Each structure stands twice: as C-alpha cells, then as structure tokens.
Amino acid sequence: MRAILPGKPQARLQALCTTEWEGLRLVAYISGNGLIIFSGPDNLVQTIYNDDCEALTALTIDEASGKIATASSREIHVYRPYGKEDGLLKWSLQCAIPRPEQEPEDVTLSWGTDEELLVGSSALRLFQTDPEEAEIWVRSLSKPTRIALFSCDADLIASTGYYDRLIKLWRRQSYGADDTRFDFTYLPHPTAVTSIQWRRPHTRVQASDHVLYSICGDQKLRIWAAMDQHGVQGLQLWAEIDMRASVQPRQLNPALQSKERFAFIIDSQDFSRTTAAAVERAVRSGAVKAESKEQHALGHLAEVAKSSPEICVVLDRHGHMSAWGLENVGCKTRKPTDVFNIAHIENFEVSFLDSANPMDRNTQLVPFCWAQPYAPFVLLAHHFDGRIEWLECRLEELFAPSPRQKRTRRKILWTGHDGPVKKILRSPSGKAVISRTNDNEALIWTQDFGGNDLGLTRRSSLKCPEHIHRSWLLKEGDFVVNLHYASISLWDARVSPAAQVASIPFNLEGNPICLVQLPKPRLDTTIIHITVITSKKKGIVWDILLPEDSARQPHVRRPSVLCTFELDIIDNIVFMLPVDPAGSAVWTSLTLDTFSKDIAISYSHDGRLRTWTAALNSDESAVEWLVTSTVETGIREPSLASASSIRKAALVDSSKTGLTIWDMRSGQLEYSVQYEDLDLIRDLDWSSTPDDQALLAVGFPHKVVVLAQLRYDYLNVGAAWAPIRSINIKDSTPHPIGDSTWLGSGNLLVGAGNQLFVYDQTVDPSDNMISNLSLPVHKQGQMNLFDLVTLLNGPLPLFHPQFLSQCVLAGKLGQVNRVVHGLYKALKFFTDGDALDSFVSLSPEAFIVEAQTSNDGALGYSTRYGSIDEEIGGEVVASLNEALSRASIPQLSSQEQMHLADMVECVSTVNKHQRSMDDNATRYLLFFRQHMIRKSQAPSIHASVTYREIVWAYHSSSQDILVDLTSRQFQGRTLWEDARECGLFMWMTDLNALRAQFEIIARNEYAKTDEKNPIDCSLFYLALRKKNVLLGLWRMAAWNREQASTQRLLSNNFQEARWKTAALKNAYALLGKRRFEYAAAFFLLAGNLQDAVNVCLHQMRDLQLAVAVARVYEGDDGSVLQLLLKDKVLPQAALEGDRWLATWAFWMLGKRDLAVRSLISPVHTLLDTAESPKMQARSYLANDPALVVLYKQLRGKTLQTLKGASRISPKEEWDFVIQNARLYDRMGCDLLALDLVRNWEFLLQTKEVPSQTEDGPDPRKMLRRRSSLVVDDLSSPKSPTGMKAGLGKPPPQKVFEEPEANSLLDNFGF
C-alpha cells in the first residue's frame, strides 16, 4: 500500500487524540461514524465503524489501559485493546453507555485514574468502566460544558462552557464508587475561554504540582499553578504570554500579516530527551563542523534544555513563530527570567486554509515526541476544514536562530470523506479522480507525480443539492459535469469548494443511463462535447467552451445544446456506460469506422455486448454513432459489464459470481471463472500497460483481485488470463468496498467506508499467484506491475519453446534447426548474468521471406530442414541439455528451459526421419514425441494427443512410417490405451493396415496380464469378426470360472435368431453389471454394431474406440460410422467449437468442401442443429492459428476443397487471415504474424458466367499457382442443401484418380 486517505476528521476539539501506551505511540481520530487508529503515519492499525449513529463527536485514549472512548449523540462506546502480545493489536467493544435523551449532541470525554471516564455535556458524569460500567457521580450544570478535562492524577477537573469566560475547577473531596464528591472554584478570564490543557507530568512531584494552560479570546496564554498548596483558590495565575505581541511580522505588506495566533506546548521531558538525542546524533555522525550554523543551533538548543523548561510555541498563519521557555512553573516567587524567549523565526510551514468560513479557519496543534531515540519531533495540525497534517522536524532546526528555507516536513496528510464512498471516477488520463458519497458530496483529487508518498492531493470539494447520477471530469479535474435525473450541471473545481457554473435541464424519453464525452480533434482542447443517453436510446449533446488557460481565464461560458439523436438499433439497452480509458488518448479520426476508438459499451437482456464510437459530422451540427463490434455472449440477464478502449470487455452473470472476459475484435471468450457464492462481484475496472497489455481489477465486498492477460498458449491449452494480485482490506477496515479505479500511474485506488486506499504497482513474484506463471528466472524480487504484465506478454525470443512449436506447425522446420543451432553456439561460453540475443544472431527476414519452390512444387531439402551443417544431432542435443541445466537463460523460466530441452530432443528425433516423411508426418511426430516426454516427466498425465495432431497425421502420406514409430514408442506392445493416446485409429486411412493394427492390439490386450484373460480382447476380435480365434483363446482359459459357459455360447451359430437373442440378453446383463467393454463385445456377437458403438460412446465415453470398432467392423463407408459422424461427432464439434474434430469428420464423410469451410466458418453454421454452442465454443482455443496452415494446404488439394473455398467470401478469408495474425501476435510470435500477412495468397475471384450445370465455373482457375496437381473428386456431387444436412449416401472414398491429359497440360499452363 502506498498511501491511505483515512477519512475527513470531524471539526471538533476532541476529534484527535494521541498518547503513548506501553511503548507504542497511538494516534486516533474520528471521521463520520468511524474511529481510525494509527501507530505511525503510514501504519493503519484499525478502523471501527459505529453503524448505530450518523457521526461521532468526541474521542479520548486512556494512557494507562489503552482503552478508547468515543461519543455520539446517543451513546458512549468504550473499546478495550487485545492481541498486543501476539503482534495483532486490535480493539473490541467493551461497553456502550447510553446518554440521556434530553442532552445536547456535543459531549466531552476525559479519562481519570483506575479507568474512570468523565463525560461532560449538560451535566458532568463520572463512570467506572472496570470491571463493569457504573455511574458513580453526576452534577448538573447551568449550561452545557464545552470541554472538561481530568488532571493527570484525577484530583482536579477543569471545565468550561460555550462562550464562558470562567473555568470551573473541580477538586475531588473523596474517592470510591459509593461516595465520590467534588467541590469547585472559578478561574476568571477577561473574555471567552477557547482552549484549556493540563501539563503532562513525568515525575510524582510534577503529578501533584498541577499546572493548567488556558487561552481565551484576548489571545493570551495563561499559566495557572498551585503556588499556595493550602490556599482556597487551588490554582493561581502564574504567568501569561501575549501571543499577538510575541509574533510581530517583519514585512509591512498587509497580506503577510495575520491577527490570528496558534499555540502548542512542548513538555519539558520531551524537550530535554529530544535535545539530548540531537546532540548525541550530531556527535556520533561527526557531520557538525566547528563554527557552523548547525553547531550554533545545537549549542543554542542545549543551553535552553539545561533548565528543563516547558516550551510554548506561538505562530501565525504565515509561518512566523515565537518560542518561549517556561522555567520553575509553580514557584511562589516567580523571577522575571522564568519566562524567557528562545527564538523568533520564519518559514514554519503549516498549511493553513484561507477560508471565508470561520470554522474552517480553526486549527488545533498537537505535539509529541517519539519514545525511540533519534526520532524526530512530530506536530499534528488538525485543520477544521477536514485535514490532519503530520509534520516532522528536528528541534535544532526548528529553533535555529539562523534563517532556514524549510523547518518542517510534511510526512503525510490525513483527509477524505465523512461518509461512505459510493463511486470513484477517473479522468481519461488518470491524473485526476472524483470520489463521491451517498449524500452527493464529492472530492476532486489530483495525482502527485513528484515522488510524494501521499499519492493523491485533494484539489476541491463539491456539495450538490441534487442527486448525482453520473459524473465526468474535464481538463484534468478543473471542471466537473454532473448528470442528474432531468438536468446536467457544470462545476468549476479550480476553487475549493467548487462553484456551480450552470444547471441545464433536459427533457428526453427514458431514464438517463450514460454520460460520456465525445472524441475531439487532436488540436482542439477548448471545445468539449458532452452527451447523455437514455434507456430509450435517445440522446442529447451539449457544447461546452472551456478556457484555454485555466489560471488566467476565470469565467466559463454556459453550455449550449448542440443536437439530439437516437441510436439506430432494434433491441433495447439494459445499460450503457463509458469504456474505461486504456492505452492512448481518445481522439476523433477523419473517418468514422471500426478502427476508431471505442467510447461506450452497452448490453442487453440476452447478453449481447456492443461497443460504440461516435463523431460529429463536418459542420458539427449532428453526431454519428457506429457500432464497432457486437458479441453474442449467451449470458442472460447480466448484472454488470465493463469495457476498455482497447477492445476488451468483461461481463458478470445474473448471480454476480461468474465472470467472463471477451475480446471484442474477434468475439472470442478469453477467460471464464466462477467464484464462490459469498464472493459477489461488485465492480470492474480496466487499465493497460504503456504497450496496451490489459489489466482488470475485479472488486468484491472485501477484496480486489487483479487479473492480467497472458500470451495465448494453444499447445498447453493455457489460460489467457490469470490473477496476479489479491488486495484484502479486511485487516484495514470492516466496511465493504464501495468502488475502485486505476490511476494513470498504475496505482489502484480503492474506496471503502470513509477511506481511500492507494495501492502501488509493487508486486512480489514469489507470491503464490505469480509463482505458477512462467517468469524468467532472473526476475525474482519485487517488481513493477506493468513490468510484470509486459513480461507475461509481448514478443517471445526465437528460442522460446512456444515459438519453435508454432514454427514447426507453420512448416518452418528449417528455421527451427537454424535457431537451435544458433542457440547452441550462443550458449557455448554463456554464464549466468550474460545477455543473450533473442534472435541468436539470426535475421528476422529468415522467417518472413517466402521459401522458393522447385519445378515440381516441393521445397528443397535445405529449405525445409536447414542445411546439413545446421541439422541438430546428438552432440548438439547433449551440449544444449547440459547448458540449459547449468545456466539460467534470461528470457526463460526454469520450466520453459525444461520444455526447450524437450523440444530440442524432439527436433533431433524428427531430423533422423525427415527424408522419409512429409511435413504433416513431421508435425505429428514432433508433438507426439513431445507428449511422450512430458508424460514420462509427469506419469499422472493420461491425456492423449489432441485432434490437431490427429488431423496432421490423417492428411499425411507417410502413415506407415508413423505407425512404425509409434509402435516403437510402446516397445512393440501397443495396447488400446496406447493406441488411443496416439489417436492411431482416427488417422489411419488404409483399412487393411488399420485392421492389421487392430488385430495386433487384440493380441497385446490378451497377453497384457500373466493370466491371459480372453475377456480383455473379446471386443477387438469380435470387431475383426474373428470369433473362432476368440473361441480358441477361451479353450485355453481353464482357470476362468466363465470358461465353460462362454465356450458353449461361442460354439453356436450367431446367424440364427435364437443365438442373437441370447447374445443380446448377455449384453444387457453385462450392462447392468457395468461391464461395458464386455457388453459391447456381446452386442457385436449379436451383429448389433450400433449398440456396441453406443456403449463405447456413452457408457465408456471413448469416442476413439467407437470409431475404431465401426471402421474395423464395416469399413469407412458403413452406415453406423456415417451415422456416428453425423449425429454424434459433428454435433459435439459444433457444441465445443472444435474445428479440428469437425474437419476430420467432414473429410471422413467425403464432404471435403465442408471440411475446408469448417476451418473458417463456425461449425454450428454448417449443420442443421437447434442446439446453441457451449461457452467453450466461443473460446479463443477454438481458433488455433495452425488452422490457417491446414486451410492453405487443403484448399487446393482437390476440386471439392477448392469448391468449398470458393464459397468463402473474400471478406471472410481476409478476416480469417487477420484474426490469425492477431492470434500469432497475442502468442508472442510476431514474426509468424508478419510472415502470414506478407506471404498469404488469396484465391482469384473468377469472373466467368456460371453455366447451367450444377458444377459452375472450374474451381482450378481460382488458384494463383498451377504447379500442383488437383485431384478431381467431384464425380458424384451433391446438392449444397443435401451436403449441409448430411442427406444421401456418401460416394465411395477415392484416394487418387489419374487426371486426364488436358487437365495436366492445363495445370502446367499449356
């Protein structure tokens, strides 16, 4: 926490109190109905709110017990301390003492001995608070007392009333709860008494020598002492100091002269102790030179302290000060030298306010000295305009007779509201904020960028007679616009309190819901356009002309109505609010388009988010509004929404516990989280780093969680957002959070109760929230919040494992070899602390220059894999592994270094087989190998390869090699769980090889246990239609108690109906026993493939097994497989937004045009399904940038794929490419984004007139290059409607057809 604005102190004499209790300095004051307790300028111990009253009126602390008493109009509350021994000091309510109803609101409190509490109002009442509260004495007064104070030994009470020139001195006659009596005498004054104070004793002798200081309207300080201990009077006037005469200004300028005087007393022990510490400090440091100003100041101070005097300090409003020493106070014979002058000085800086209100001009000064040695002298200045200054200085500098520029230093300023903060709004730049309460009181703050610890400076205050619905700051807080229910008001906040310039009523249909400033031209800083929008989509714009120079032009013109408008949308708006400013300032552009900065966001009942921008037309007579983005979130009745000007939006569901974060440009869901039921989301605030990385503060009743965006990670399916900081305010205040906002510097301002908390940017990377994130190892220790977010985002180094993985997917294995070889060279002589080039001496052009192809269309060896010299071999792998385990790479975390070592090993494995594999096989092998390495490092991982890897292998022409390599990975004993892990039966296309592999798995499943159980392989052999093999295995299973019955059953002919029925009965019986795999086998035995597939899919939840059984049993053209793909796989892909699964399913169905279209278009739009996609389908994970690589590869592969690509509009393809470039950028792969947009080739749009035939123009003419063969698979075309609905029997699968001679000549350009 950087600073606290604890609340506005009450303008009362007993609003502030300080004392030293058990070696701990306590400073407490009251604000509104809150008690704020500090143990230092920045150490807030506790805030206690009294919800039963509107405001507290008095406060006092018992120096002996540490108890605190507060008073309100109804009760006296006594709080006792606890937990000091455990280091968790807090106060709890001990008792509540009711006050008589007829008493006035004002009350005065004072602690006596033995925890007695004196309460003064229309009567003086004395209460015993330990062990139980009890009233032990009461005395009615002729008029209410203004202040009543116990002497330090509780023998005397000094009290005075309002405008009273007499001090009533009460002397205690007896002690005890049953018989407490006081008598009194008077201390007369010439005018009304304004202040009284007892001398604090430091010895027993001083405790009995009562000394009272009083100040009255004649501005004289009087010292009363018991010069005659046996006299009737009790106290006599010992001396007086004329405060007005003691401070004489040295300037003749009347503006620098003041008639008001202020005074405070420094006790003798504090003065002597602080002086001794100052002398000792100077001697130890040796910094004081002989005959210097510092030596004279110290000598002067030491000479004064010899007689241990009390010090009376008098000052005026302009920093003129006079200090007087009081020696031998109380002696019967006072010598003229007992009151002597110490110093007349200038530049005693206290921030007195020049206010017309006499009450605001009053200031109460409370001095104290720390008990710790070498601690500075502290002066608390309680200004009745609502501020408490904590001033520190050294006494030798304060009383130095030589001129000084600055004698005091303000440590902190306590101020704020006196009511609960309801709303906080920042200016667009974040340099000014306005906070307001429920009673329409507002404070305008400006941020201090000069290194001051205060963080915020109060600039002005505002009290509005009408309810404030919305507010807007203009010119960094110089002016404020408030929106009311039927009017707006303009306030000039250059003065304090702010002055109302104008109030303009308006008449619009609907309730006003949004107040926002329209973007303005960059050169125009004087004309402001403010608009109000209602719930009925009506709006009005005002023209406000502000002065260019706020200091020299005091007058402001009244705002005038510019125009009215109506938003052109059909559905109703539930709420519309300005976007949180993030990034650069919002200026109007020359044209109104979707590239303009957003200024507002709206949401509807069905969860439709819209972002808006606006601009005035050329003659500035009307405003034009444009919807820049629309997102269908599917969240009904949202309770809260917020957006930033960099196209990020957050939405809270109706329960206020679910949060989603959306990218408004792409409509993608980036983050979704469900909090606990007690954690209700109340506030959302956006900010951004200087490089436009987003931050979101999520406000709960008693905490704020800061979320930061992360790089997209499609390979590890990582989250796109993560919590990096949690701010809990329960230890500081029990009041719930009212609102929060980001300041321009990145500090977070939180308002709770009367208080404002400023949290700085410092974060600790060792925190549990951050430790799981991928932070470079050298970034340990505290760091800046913006630096942390930038580190978690931004471009990756070329050797980062995610960048290398994406390069492999993009077909840049040669560049990967070069990067790894460059890293190998760079790490040869690398040691910790050295800098490492992120490009490892490679040129960025190597990634963005399109590779040249040979005449046959294939890439050369060196282009695909790098030169022979750069190929990664065993020596490079061993050297890099040793270097990565030894050194800390500056740009990588320890986990990323491990992944990089795995990546290097995988690339080396791929290089060994690169001559016999195509690119798709290379992609699959690398990520399969990477998956197996990570599984070996974390055996608990049981996931299989993703559908992305399955699709790469499915479209590979090197499947036989992949089958062999995957089989070797499992030592030639591939079980079904191994086959499922590598997706084997999803990507194999040769049915004969597929059935052979299935039989191998059947044998391995049978032999996987020592007992060799036939049940384990029954499903596999029956899917292969090899019942006799299974029967032979049962003959050898003599140990199995089911052998005889199963052997008899399998010996029958299952072509007969009776045995089919028997097999079905056994299948259903096994389902009841939850033996699902065995049940599926009996369904196959009965010839019921559909039920067997259903069991695999629904009961076993194994889609791959269902597909494998269907393909093995009846081939790829079987009706069950077709039905499975249409009714199960494709709807599942549409619900989850899985484009990889959808393109595989469409290709399996022979609908290759839809397989291509599904890579770009949402899957659910290609199906006739009534079920809306899940939230998961809108996730950014559904838009893998590797899809663009597959799309480019497939669209020109066959005539069907070309036909599907032709149905994609140029705009859709453009948006697809640009979106994938943004995805690359968000992943940190900026070079790949640049490569994509630089080298992408769009299909040529044919200008031929379509013929009357169904096929239309030749799709091959859309290709820009005609060097590749295009397979003609349109021999049995379907209608578009039938293809979309999935009707009709699919044509037989064609692997390859020999093209005609004409098509070959055409492809080669002849």
Side-chain angles (χ1 to χ4, degrees), residues 596-771:
S596 303
K597 283 272 190 177
D598 297 335
I599 63 171
I601 181 175
S602 65
Y603 60 89
S604 59
H605 288 286
D606 57 357
R608 183 181 293 108
L609 288 176
R610 288 188 180 93
T611 54
W612 300 80
T613 188
L616 294 173
N617 59 13
S618 57
D619 57 357
E620 296 191 355
S621 60
V623 62
E624 298 177 13
W625 287 86
L626 177 67
V627 177
T628 57
S629 60
T630 302
V631 175
E632 300 286 349
T633 65
I635 300 174
R636 297 195 59 82
E637 303 298 336
S639 59
L640 186 63
S642 180
S644 71
S645 56
I646 55 176
R647 301 283 171 88
K648 301 290 182 183
L651 193 66
V652 180
D653 62 11
S654 57
S655 66
K656 298 185 178 181
T657 57
L659 172 68
T660 53
I661 300 177
W662 301 81
D663 186 305
M664 297 299 293
R665 282 192 179 92
S666 59
Q668 294 179 152
L669 173 66
E670 293 192 337
Y671 186 70
S672 177
V673 63
Q674 191 74 30
Y675 294 102
E676 297 179 359
D677 293 340
L678 297 179
D679 288 339
L680 300 181
I681 301 174
R682 304 179 61 169
D683 187 32
L684 299 170
D685 295 288
W686 287 95
S687 183
S688 70
T689 64
D691 55 346
D692 283 355
Q693 311 293 346
L695 284 163
L696 176 63
V698 184
F700 299 92
H702 295 282
K703 68 178 180 180
V704 177
V705 176
V706 178
L707 301 174
Q709 73 173 39
L710 308 178
R711 296 185 187 94
Y712 286 167
D713 188 354
Y714 291 91
L715 303 179
N716 301 314
V717 195
W721 289 76
I724 60 172
R725 189 176 187 182
S726 181
I727 298 172
N728 197 320
I729 67 166
K730 277 190 175 180
D731 294 336
S732 302
T733 175
H735 206 287
I737 295 174
D739 198 11
S740 61
T741 193
W742 292 94
L743 301 178
S745 60
N747 297 337
L748 183 64
L749 179 63
V750 179
N754 304 359
Q755 301 170 333
L756 295 173
F757 301 89
V758 183
Y759 292 90
D760 59 17
Q761 292 181 299
T762 305
V763 291
D764 187 2
S766 63
D767 186 87
N768 292 333
M769 283 189 171
I770 307 176
S771 58

Side-chain angles (χ1 to χ4, degrees), residues 64 253-254 366 411 458 543 823 869 918 987 996:
N253 186 357
V366 180
K411 182 70 174 178
R458 192 177 81 173
D543 189 352
L823 182 64
D869 295 337
D918 60 5
W987 52 260

Side-chain angles (χ1 to χ4, degrees), residues 121-298:
S121 184
S122 59
L124 290 180
R125 290 180 171 83
L126 187 60
F127 293 90
Q128 181 67 47
T129 63
D130 185 43
E132 295 181 355
E133 68 276 10
E135 186 179 277
I136 60 177
W137 177 73
V138 61
R139 183 67 177 269
S140 299
L141 301 175
S142 58
K143 59 181 180 179
T145 183
R146 181 168 179 259
I147 187 167
L149 298 177
F150 259 126
S151 64
C152 294
D153 59 357
D155 279 347
L156 299 177
I157 299 174
S159 67
T160 184
Y162 289 89
Y163 312 108
D164 196 347
R165 68 179 189 85
L166 299 176
I167 294 179
K168 192 174 289 186
L169 192 65
W170 303 81
R171 181 182 294 274
R172 196 164 195 158
Q173 299 296 314
S174 62
Y175 290 84
D178 298 332
D179 185 21
T180 300
R181 290 176 296 155
F182 287 85
D183 64 0
F184 64 88
T185 57
Y186 292 103
L187 301 181
H189 289 71
T191 58
V193 178
T194 58
S195 175
I196 58 176
Q197 175 185 340
W198 290 100
R199 182 178 69 175
R200 289 183 59 246
H202 298 285
T203 63
R204 290 186 177 180
V205 176
Q206 278 194 343
S208 59
D209 293 341
H210 301 114
V211 176
L212 179 68
Y213 306 103
S214 66
I215 300 175
C216 65
D218 61 355
Q219 295 197 358
K220 289 185 179 181
L221 184 143
R222 291 172 172 83
I223 302 100
W224 305 84
M227 293 183 291
D228 184 1
Q229 296 289 346
H230 304 287
V232 179
Q233 188 67 21
L235 297 183
Q236 296 85 32
L237 181 63
W238 183 78
E240 64 180 26
I241 297 175
D242 189 341
M243 297 191 296
R244 184 174 296 175
S246 62
V247 177
Q248 295 295 332
R250 302 178 184 179
Q251 291 87 3
L252 298 178
N253 186 357
L256 299 177
Q257 298 180 10
S258 173
K259 295 182 179 180
E260 296 170 272
R261 299 292 184 266
F262 306 91
F264 61 89
I265 304 294
I266 304 176
D267 294 319
S268 59
Q269 183 173 349
D270 287 346
F271 179 71
S272 301
R273 182 175 57 192
T274 306
T275 302
V279 174
E280 184 179 356
R281 179 175 59 246
V283 172
R284 285 191 176 186
S285 64
V288 179
K289 299 180 181 179
E291 302 300 327
S292 65
K293 292 183 179 180
E294 289 76 9
Q295 185 191 37
H296 288 299
L298 273 175

